[in-house]
Amino acid sequence: MFGRGREKTTPEGIETLIGPTANFVGELKSDGGVQIEGVLEGSLETAGNLTVGEKARIVADVSAHNVSVAGIIKGDVSANRVEVLSTGQVWGDISVKSFLLDEGGFIRGEIKMQGEEP
């Protein structure tokens, strides 16, 4: 009946999706992947990966395994790997092991690379 024969629409590993017309206010915690296409205000913590869509707006401190930013994050980001794509913006400090900034991407804040001193 409902959903029979339909293909899976969310990318592999995404368990939580905030759609483009959604506005979420509060604390979001997840063990799986999270994709934001709308607006999130509050805090976001996931053990999985975070994908921030091109039209997404996040006003929150973010903690995730890996973060891919095509939209806007206003808040501090803590992750294993952060990539800011050409349309992405981060307005806050970033604490990370691995970092990638595409041409056109924007950061206003401090980047702290995790790791041991040689």
Side-chain angles (χ1 to χ4, degrees), residues 1 3 5 8-9 12 14 16 22 31 38 54 57 59 72-73 76 83 89 91 97-98 102 106 108 110 112 114 118:
M1 185 173 224
K8 192 174 177 182
T9 57
E12 195 66 35
I14 300 294
T16 304
D31 287 334
E54 194 170 325
R57 304 293 179 259
V59 180
I72 296 174
I73 295 178
D76 295 340
E83 61 179 1
Q89 298 180 24
W91 297 77
K97 289 183 183 175
S98 175
D102 279 356
F106 178 87
R108 174 69 54 93
E110 186 175 303
K112 299 173 191 167
Q114 302 167 358

PDB file of all heavy atoms in Angstrom, residues 1 3 5 8-9 12 14 16 22 31 38 54 57 59 72-73 76 83 89 91 97-98 102 106 108 110 112 114 118:
ATOM      1  N   MET A   1       0.831  -1.177   0.000  1.00  0.00           N
ATOM      2  CA  MET A   1       0.000   0.000   0.000  1.00  0.00           C
ATOM      3  C   MET A   1       0.878   1.243   0.000  1.00  0.00           C
ATOM      4  O   MET A   1       1.386   1.621  -1.028  1.00  0.00           O
ATOM      5  CB  MET A   1      -0.937  -0.037   1.198  1.00  0.00           C
ATOM      6  CG  MET A   1      -1.917   1.066   1.221  1.00  0.00           C
ATOM      7  SD  MET A   1      -3.095   0.837   2.547  1.00  0.00           S
ATOM      8  CE  MET A   1      -4.551   1.246   1.669  1.00  0.00           C
ATOM      9  N   GLY A   3       4.071   3.428   0.268  1.00  0.00           N
ATOM     10  CA  GLY A   3       5.512   3.258   0.220  1.00  0.00           C
ATOM     11  C   GLY A   3       5.996   2.038  -0.520  1.00  0.00           C
ATOM     12  O   GLY A   3       7.191   1.853  -0.675  1.00  0.00           O
ATOM     13  N   GLY A   5       7.299  -0.158  -3.345  1.00  0.00           N
ATOM     14  CA  GLY A   5       7.933   0.109  -4.619  1.00  0.00           C
ATOM     15  C   GLY A   5       8.661   1.446  -4.685  1.00  0.00           C
ATOM     16  O   GLY A   5       9.237   1.774  -5.694  1.00  0.00           O
ATOM     17  N   LYS A   8      14.370   4.414  -1.515  1.00  0.00           N
ATOM     18  CA  LYS A   8      14.790   5.128  -0.323  1.00  0.00           C
ATOM     19  C   LYS A   8      15.268   6.521  -0.746  1.00  0.00           C
ATOM     20  O   LYS A   8      16.084   6.650  -1.644  1.00  0.00           O
ATOM     21  CB  LYS A   8      15.933   4.341   0.327  1.00  0.00           C
ATOM     22  CG  LYS A   8      16.304   4.767   1.693  1.00  0.00           C
ATOM     23  CD  LYS A   8      17.336   3.806   2.237  1.00  0.00           C
ATOM     24  CE  LYS A   8      17.799   4.215   3.589  1.00  0.00           C
ATOM     25  NZ  LYS A   8      18.820   3.330   4.090  1.00  0.00           N
ATOM     26  N   THR A   9      14.758   7.577  -0.100  1.00  0.00           N
ATOM     27  CA  THR A   9      15.086   8.934  -0.524  1.00  0.00           C
ATOM     28  C   THR A   9      16.203   9.570   0.292  1.00  0.00           C
ATOM     29  O   THR A   9      16.792  10.541  -0.136  1.00  0.00           O
ATOM     30  CB  THR A   9      13.851   9.846  -0.446  1.00  0.00           C
ATOM     31  OG1 THR A   9      13.358   9.828   0.874  1.00  0.00           O
ATOM     32  CG2 THR A   9      12.779   9.383  -1.418  1.00  0.00           C
ATOM     33  N   GLU A  12      22.465   7.131   2.476  1.00  0.00           N
ATOM     34  CA  GLU A  12      22.902   6.088   3.401  1.00  0.00           C
ATOM     35  C   GLU A  12      23.480   6.708   4.672  1.00  0.00           C
ATOM     36  O   GLU A  12      24.261   7.630   4.622  1.00  0.00           O
ATOM     37  CB  GLU A  12      23.967   5.216   2.727  1.00  0.00           C
ATOM     38  CG  GLU A  12      24.223   3.915   3.432  1.00  0.00           C
ATOM     39  CD  GLU A  12      23.039   2.976   3.403  1.00  0.00           C
ATOM     40  OE1 GLU A  12      22.316   2.953   2.408  1.00  0.00           O
ATOM     41  OE2 GLU A  12      22.853   2.263   4.401  1.00  0.00           O
ATOM     42  N   ILE A  14      21.909   8.438   6.995  1.00  0.00           N
ATOM     43  CA  ILE A  14      21.115   9.543   7.543  1.00  0.00           C
ATOM     44  C   ILE A  14      19.908   8.956   8.259  1.00  0.00           C
ATOM     45  O   ILE A  14      19.097   8.278   7.667  1.00  0.00           O
ATOM     46  CB  ILE A  14      20.648  10.514   6.432  1.00  0.00           C
ATOM     47  CG1 ILE A  14      21.827  11.128   5.695  1.00  0.00           C
ATOM     48  CG2 ILE A  14      19.735  11.585   7.015  1.00  0.00           C
ATOM     49  CD1 ILE A  14      22.686  12.040   6.524  1.00  0.00           C
ATOM     50  N   THR A  16      18.219  11.094  10.753  1.00  0.00           N
ATOM     51  CA  THR A  16      17.383  12.225  11.115  1.00  0.00           C
ATOM     52  C   THR A  16      17.482  13.293  10.037  1.00  0.00           C
ATOM     53  O   THR A  16      18.579  13.687   9.663  1.00  0.00           O
ATOM     54  CB  THR A  16      17.836  12.827  12.468  1.00  0.00           C
ATOM     55  OG1 THR A  16      17.831  11.793  13.454  1.00  0.00           O
ATOM     56  CG2 THR A  16      16.928  13.955  12.904  1.00  0.00           C
ATOM     57  N   ALA A  22      11.019  22.963   7.593  1.00  0.00           N
ATOM     58  CA  ALA A  22      10.945  22.753   9.051  1.00  0.00           C
ATOM     59  C   ALA A  22      11.783  23.779   9.799  1.00  0.00           C
ATOM     60  O   ALA A  22      12.844  24.203   9.340  1.00  0.00           O
ATOM     61  CB  ALA A  22      11.418  21.347   9.400  1.00  0.00           C
ATOM     62  N   ASP A  31      22.425   9.292  17.672  1.00  0.00           N
ATOM     63  CA  ASP A  31      23.566   8.388  17.517  1.00  0.00           C
ATOM     64  C   ASP A  31      23.891   8.166  16.045  1.00  0.00           C
ATOM     65  O   ASP A  31      24.928   7.632  15.706  1.00  0.00           O
ATOM     66  CB  ASP A  31      23.281   7.031  18.174  1.00  0.00           C
ATOM     67  CG  ASP A  31      23.315   7.120  19.689  1.00  0.00           C
ATOM     68  OD1 ASP A  31      24.001   8.007  20.221  1.00  0.00           O
ATOM     69  OD2 ASP A  31      22.644   6.299  20.338  1.00  0.00           O
ATOM     70  N   GLY A  38      16.549  22.667   6.741  1.00  0.00           N
ATOM     71  CA  GLY A  38      15.744  23.796   7.195  1.00  0.00           C
ATOM     72  C   GLY A  38      16.496  24.627   8.217  1.00  0.00           C
ATOM     73  O   GLY A  38      17.681  24.899   8.056  1.00  0.00           O
ATOM     74  N   GLU A  54      22.473  23.481   1.536  1.00  0.00           N
ATOM     75  CA  GLU A  54      22.800  24.812   1.041  1.00  0.00           C
ATOM     76  C   GLU A  54      21.870  25.901   1.583  1.00  0.00           C
ATOM     77  O   GLU A  54      22.293  27.014   1.826  1.00  0.00           O
ATOM     78  CB  GLU A  54      22.757  24.806  -0.491  1.00  0.00           C
ATOM     79  CG  GLU A  54      23.388  26.016  -1.113  1.00  0.00           C
ATOM     80  CD  GLU A  54      23.563  25.875  -2.610  1.00  0.00           C
ATOM     81  OE1 GLU A  54      23.834  24.759  -3.094  1.00  0.00           O
ATOM     82  OE2 GLU A  54      23.426  26.907  -3.296  1.00  0.00           O
ATOM     83  N   ARG A  57      20.024  26.703   7.879  1.00  0.00           N
ATOM     84  CA  ARG A  57      20.535  27.691   8.821  1.00  0.00           C
ATOM     85  C   ARG A  57      20.536  27.045  10.201  1.00  0.00           C
ATOM     86  O   ARG A  57      19.495  26.613  10.695  1.00  0.00           O
ATOM     87  CB  ARG A  57      19.655  28.940   8.866  1.00  0.00           C
ATOM     88  CG  ARG A  57      19.438  29.618   7.520  1.00  0.00           C
ATOM     89  CD  ARG A  57      20.738  30.218   6.992  1.00  0.00           C
ATOM     90  NE  ARG A  57      20.560  30.844   5.693  1.00  0.00           N
ATOM     91  CZ  ARG A  57      20.910  30.283   4.541  1.00  0.00           C
ATOM     92  NH1 ARG A  57      21.417  29.080   4.496  1.00  0.00           N
ATOM     93  NH2 ARG A  57      20.761  30.932   3.413  1.00  0.00           N
ATOM     94  N   VAL A  59      21.647  27.784  14.180  1.00  0.00           N
ATOM     95  CA  VAL A  59      22.104  28.699  15.225  1.00  0.00           C
ATOM     96  C   VAL A  59      22.242  27.837  16.468  1.00  0.00           C
ATOM     97  O   VAL A  59      21.288  27.669  17.232  1.00  0.00           O
ATOM     98  CB  VAL A  59      21.113  29.865  15.432  1.00  0.00           C
ATOM     99  CG1 VAL A  59      21.628  30.800  16.519  1.00  0.00           C
ATOM    100  CG2 VAL A  59      20.884  30.614  14.128  1.00  0.00           C
ATOM    101  N   ILE A  72      24.642  27.592   6.484  1.00  0.00           N
ATOM    102  CA  ILE A  72      25.219  28.479   7.491  1.00  0.00           C
ATOM    103  C   ILE A  72      25.114  27.857   8.878  1.00  0.00           C
ATOM    104  O   ILE A  72      24.062  27.356   9.267  1.00  0.00           O
ATOM    105  CB  ILE A  72      24.495  29.843   7.504  1.00  0.00           C
ATOM    106  CG1 ILE A  72      24.702  30.562   6.172  1.00  0.00           C
ATOM    107  CG2 ILE A  72      24.977  30.716   8.655  1.00  0.00           C
ATOM    108  CD1 ILE A  72      23.914  31.848   6.050  1.00  0.00           C
ATOM    109  N   ILE A  73      26.225  27.910   9.617  1.00  0.00           N
ATOM    110  CA  ILE A  73      26.244  27.555  11.040  1.00  0.00           C
ATOM    111  C   ILE A  73      26.709  28.781  11.810  1.00  0.00           C
ATOM    112  O   ILE A  73      27.776  29.326  11.522  1.00  0.00           O
ATOM    113  CB  ILE A  73      27.186  26.372  11.343  1.00  0.00           C
ATOM    114  CG1 ILE A  73      26.705  25.097  10.672  1.00  0.00           C
ATOM    115  CG2 ILE A  73      27.295  26.166  12.855  1.00  0.00           C
ATOM    116  CD1 ILE A  73      27.622  23.894  10.894  1.00  0.00           C
ATOM    117  N   ASP A  76      29.715  27.329  17.687  1.00  0.00           N
ATOM    118  CA  ASP A  76      30.968  26.585  17.687  1.00  0.00           C
ATOM    119  C   ASP A  76      30.746  25.176  17.165  1.00  0.00           C
ATOM    120  O   ASP A  76      29.690  24.576  17.389  1.00  0.00           O
ATOM    121  CB  ASP A  76      31.563  26.546  19.094  1.00  0.00           C
ATOM    122  CG  ASP A  76      31.961  27.927  19.594  1.00  0.00           C
ATOM    123  OD1 ASP A  76      32.131  28.841  18.759  1.00  0.00           O
ATOM    124  OD2 ASP A  76      32.102  28.098  20.818  1.00  0.00           O
ATOM    125  N   GLU A  83      34.263  20.019   6.713  1.00  0.00           N
ATOM    126  CA  GLU A  83      34.481  20.573   5.384  1.00  0.00           C
ATOM    127  C   GLU A  83      33.461  21.676   5.151  1.00  0.00           C
ATOM    128  O   GLU A  83      32.272  21.488   5.382  1.00  0.00           O
ATOM    129  CB  GLU A  83      34.426  19.513   4.290  1.00  0.00           C
ATOM    130  CG  GLU A  83      33.127  18.783   4.147  1.00  0.00           C
ATOM    131  CD  GLU A  83      33.143  17.767   3.009  1.00  0.00           C
ATOM    132  OE1 GLU A  83      34.171  17.604   2.338  1.00  0.00           O
ATOM    133  OE2 GLU A  83      32.104  17.151   2.798  1.00  0.00           O
ATOM    134  N   GLN A  89      29.109  28.629   5.243  1.00  0.00           N
ATOM    135  CA  GLN A  89      29.598  29.661   6.147  1.00  0.00           C
ATOM    136  C   GLN A  89      29.562  29.131   7.579  1.00  0.00           C
ATOM    137  O   GLN A  89      28.579  28.517   7.981  1.00  0.00           O
ATOM    138  CB  GLN A  89      28.723  30.913   6.090  1.00  0.00           C
ATOM    139  CG  GLN A  89      28.685  31.596   4.757  1.00  0.00           C
ATOM    140  CD  GLN A  89      27.805  32.831   4.794  1.00  0.00           C
ATOM    141  OE1 GLN A  89      27.582  33.434   5.849  1.00  0.00           O
ATOM    142  NE2 GLN A  89      27.295  33.217   3.643  1.00  0.00           N
ATOM    143  N   TRP A  91      30.159  30.753  11.393  1.00  0.00           N
ATOM    144  CA  TRP A  91      30.362  31.926  12.235  1.00  0.00           C
ATOM    145  C   TRP A  91      30.567  31.419  13.658  1.00  0.00           C
ATOM    146  O   TRP A  91      29.624  31.344  14.437  1.00  0.00           O
ATOM    147  CB  TRP A  91      29.151  32.859  12.159  1.00  0.00           C
ATOM    148  CG  TRP A  91      28.916  33.421  10.795  1.00  0.00           C
ATOM    149  CD1 TRP A  91      28.366  32.785   9.731  1.00  0.00           C
ATOM    150  CD2 TRP A  91      29.228  34.724  10.352  1.00  0.00           C
ATOM    151  NE1 TRP A  91      28.322  33.613   8.648  1.00  0.00           N
ATOM    152  CE2 TRP A  91      28.845  34.820   9.003  1.00  0.00           C
ATOM    153  CE3 TRP A  91      29.802  35.841  10.962  1.00  0.00           C
ATOM    154  CZ2 TRP A  91      29.012  35.979   8.251  1.00  0.00           C
ATOM    155  CZ3 TRP A  91      29.956  36.998  10.212  1.00  0.00           C
ATOM    156  CH2 TRP A  91      29.568  37.053   8.881  1.00  0.00           C
ATOM    157  N   LYS A  97      40.115  17.698  13.917  1.00  0.00           N
ATOM    158  CA  LYS A  97      41.348  16.977  13.575  1.00  0.00           C
ATOM    159  C   LYS A  97      41.723  17.202  12.116  1.00  0.00           C
ATOM    160  O   LYS A  97      42.883  17.289  11.765  1.00  0.00           O
ATOM    161  CB  LYS A  97      41.184  15.481  13.841  1.00  0.00           C
ATOM    162  CG  LYS A  97      41.128  15.125  15.299  1.00  0.00           C
ATOM    163  CD  LYS A  97      41.033  13.627  15.477  1.00  0.00           C
ATOM    164  CE  LYS A  97      40.908  13.290  16.954  1.00  0.00           C
ATOM    165  NZ  LYS A  97      40.702  11.865  17.175  1.00  0.00           N
ATOM    166  N   SER A  98      40.721  17.261  11.242  1.00  0.00           N
ATOM    167  CA  SER A  98      40.948  17.427   9.807  1.00  0.00           C
ATOM    168  C   SER A  98      40.001  18.502   9.284  1.00  0.00           C
ATOM    169  O   SER A  98      38.817  18.508   9.626  1.00  0.00           O
ATOM    170  CB  SER A  98      40.689  16.102   9.086  1.00  0.00           C
ATOM    171  OG  SER A  98      40.792  16.254   7.695  1.00  0.00           O
ATOM    172  N   ASP A 102      36.617  24.815   0.906  1.00  0.00           N
ATOM    173  CA  ASP A 102      36.531  25.008  -0.540  1.00  0.00           C
ATOM    174  C   ASP A 102      36.644  26.492  -0.865  1.00  0.00           C
ATOM    175  O   ASP A 102      36.288  27.344  -0.042  1.00  0.00           O
ATOM    176  CB  ASP A 102      35.193  24.490  -1.084  1.00  0.00           C
ATOM    177  CG  ASP A 102      35.169  22.993  -1.286  1.00  0.00           C
ATOM    178  OD1 ASP A 102      36.209  22.328  -1.083  1.00  0.00           O
ATOM    179  OD2 ASP A 102      34.100  22.463  -1.640  1.00  0.00           O
ATOM    180  N   PHE A 106      33.346  30.287   3.749  1.00  0.00           N
ATOM    181  CA  PHE A 106      33.608  31.414   4.647  1.00  0.00           C
ATOM    182  C   PHE A 106      33.657  30.939   6.091  1.00  0.00           C
ATOM    183  O   PHE A 106      32.815  30.143   6.517  1.00  0.00           O
ATOM    184  CB  PHE A 106      32.487  32.458   4.497  1.00  0.00           C
ATOM    185  CG  PHE A 106      32.626  33.634   5.408  1.00  0.00           C
ATOM    186  CD1 PHE A 106      33.384  34.727   5.038  1.00  0.00           C
ATOM    187  CD2 PHE A 106      31.997  33.654   6.643  1.00  0.00           C
ATOM    188  CE1 PHE A 106      33.511  35.828   5.879  1.00  0.00           C
ATOM    189  CE2 PHE A 106      32.112  34.734   7.492  1.00  0.00           C
ATOM    190  CZ  PHE A 106      32.872  35.830   7.102  1.00  0.00           C
ATOM    191  N   ARG A 108      34.309  32.739  10.087  1.00  0.00           N
ATOM    192  CA  ARG A 108      34.623  33.849  10.973  1.00  0.00           C
ATOM    193  C   ARG A 108      34.751  33.248  12.350  1.00  0.00           C
ATOM    194  O   ARG A 108      33.763  32.960  12.999  1.00  0.00           O
ATOM    195  CB  ARG A 108      33.512  34.894  10.928  1.00  0.00           C
ATOM    196  CG  ARG A 108      33.629  36.041  11.913  1.00  0.00           C
ATOM    197  CD  ARG A 108      34.756  37.025  11.654  1.00  0.00           C
ATOM    198  NE  ARG A 108      34.769  37.583  10.326  1.00  0.00           N
ATOM    199  CZ  ARG A 108      34.194  38.719   9.955  1.00  0.00           C
ATOM    200  NH1 ARG A 108      33.532  39.434  10.818  1.00  0.00           N
ATOM    201  NH2 ARG A 108      34.287  39.136   8.710  1.00  0.00           N
ATOM    202  N   GLU A 110      37.887  31.022  15.080  1.00  0.00           N
ATOM    203  CA  GLU A 110      39.200  30.415  15.275  1.00  0.00           C
ATOM    204  C   GLU A 110      39.119  28.929  14.974  1.00  0.00           C
ATOM    205  O   GLU A 110      38.150  28.269  15.339  1.00  0.00           O
ATOM    206  CB  GLU A 110      39.602  30.638  16.739  1.00  0.00           C
ATOM    207  CG  GLU A 110      40.996  30.204  17.078  1.00  0.00           C
ATOM    208  CD  GLU A 110      41.346  30.577  18.507  1.00  0.00           C
ATOM    209  OE1 GLU A 110      41.264  31.755  18.863  1.00  0.00           O
ATOM    210  OE2 GLU A 110      41.685  29.659  19.260  1.00  0.00           O
ATOM    211  N   LYS A 112      40.888  25.407  15.768  1.00  0.00           N
ATOM    212  CA  LYS A 112      41.805  24.736  16.673  1.00  0.00           C
ATOM    213  C   LYS A 112      41.979  23.307  16.186  1.00  0.00           C
ATOM    214  O   LYS A 112      41.014  22.528  16.189  1.00  0.00           O
ATOM    215  CB  LYS A 112      41.267  24.747  18.098  1.00  0.00           C
ATOM    216  CG  LYS A 112      41.064  26.125  18.663  1.00  0.00           C
ATOM    217  CD  LYS A 112      40.362  26.048  20.003  1.00  0.00           C
ATOM    218  CE  LYS A 112      39.934  27.439  20.420  1.00  0.00           C
ATOM    219  NZ  LYS A 112      38.996  27.404  21.533  1.00  0.00           N
ATOM    220  N   GLN A 114      43.075  19.633  16.666  1.00  0.00           N
ATOM    221  CA  GLN A 114      43.314  18.693  17.761  1.00  0.00           C
ATOM    222  C   GLN A 114      44.517  17.829  17.423  1.00  0.00           C
ATOM    223  O   GLN A 114      44.776  17.557  16.273  1.00  0.00           O
ATOM    224  CB  GLN A 114      42.083  17.826  17.970  1.00  0.00           C
ATOM    225  CG  GLN A 114      40.826  18.599  18.266  1.00  0.00           C
ATOM    226  CD  GLN A 114      39.584  17.744  18.168  1.00  0.00           C
ATOM    227  OE1 GLN A 114      39.643  16.574  17.843  1.00  0.00           O
ATOM    228  NE2 GLN A 114      38.443  18.348  18.428  1.00  0.00           N
ATOM    229  N   PRO A 118      54.411  17.694  18.450  1.00  0.00           N
ATOM    230  CA  PRO A 118      55.533  16.820  18.058  1.00  0.00           C
ATOM    231  C   PRO A 118      56.685  16.917  19.027  1.00  0.00           C
ATOM    232  O   PRO A 118      56.834  17.868  19.729  1.00  0.00           O
ATOM    233  CB  PRO A 118      55.943  17.355  16.677  1.00  0.00           C
ATOM    234  CG  PRO A 118      55.379  18.715  16.573  1.00  0.00           C
ATOM    235  CD  PRO A 118      54.226  18.786  17.532  1.00  0.00           C
TER     236      PRO A 118
END
